[in-house]
Amino acid sequence: MMARRLERLMARHGQSICLTRRDGGQTAVVKAFLQPTLAKREAPPVTATPLGAASSQRWLYIGNGRQEIAPGDRAEWNGLRLAVQEARPVCWADETVYYWAILRREREAAG
């Protein structure tokens, strides 16, 4: 039930993100939330936002519980190419409610 509510919010307010799996290259377009991470202390590049300093290198991904995402996968949104650094399912009881991940700009992740 919680997962369905979150999926409805993503469908209405989320960004369309193209995910490419590392293990086989399968591509899927999903609705998810993608935002730059907020950082109190970080070396440049940092951009000031109304909520604080935002890193242009690290991004937070919240995606539906039916579309797995794992380290090494790729994401593309609005011309921005990102690589998944960390990812994990977030569960309630036996249900995967959503996937949480930290992504980095692709050129930085390769290094």
Side-chain angles (χ1 to χ4, degrees), residues 44-66:
V46 174
T47 305
T49 72
L51 298 176
S55 169
S56 60
Q57 302 301 314
R58 292 172 44 110
W59 293 75
L60 173 65
Y61 169 95
I62 303 292
N64 76 57
R66 292 185 288 126

Side-chain angles (χ1 to χ4, degrees), residues 19-20 29 37 41-42 57-58 74-75 81 84 91 96 98 103:
L19 293 179
T20 303
V29 175
T37 60
R41 297 178 202 183
E42 188 169 333
Q57 302 301 314
R58 292 172 44 110
R74 302 283 188 243
R81 296 171 55 91
V84 179
C91 302
T96 299
Y98 64 91
L103 290 68

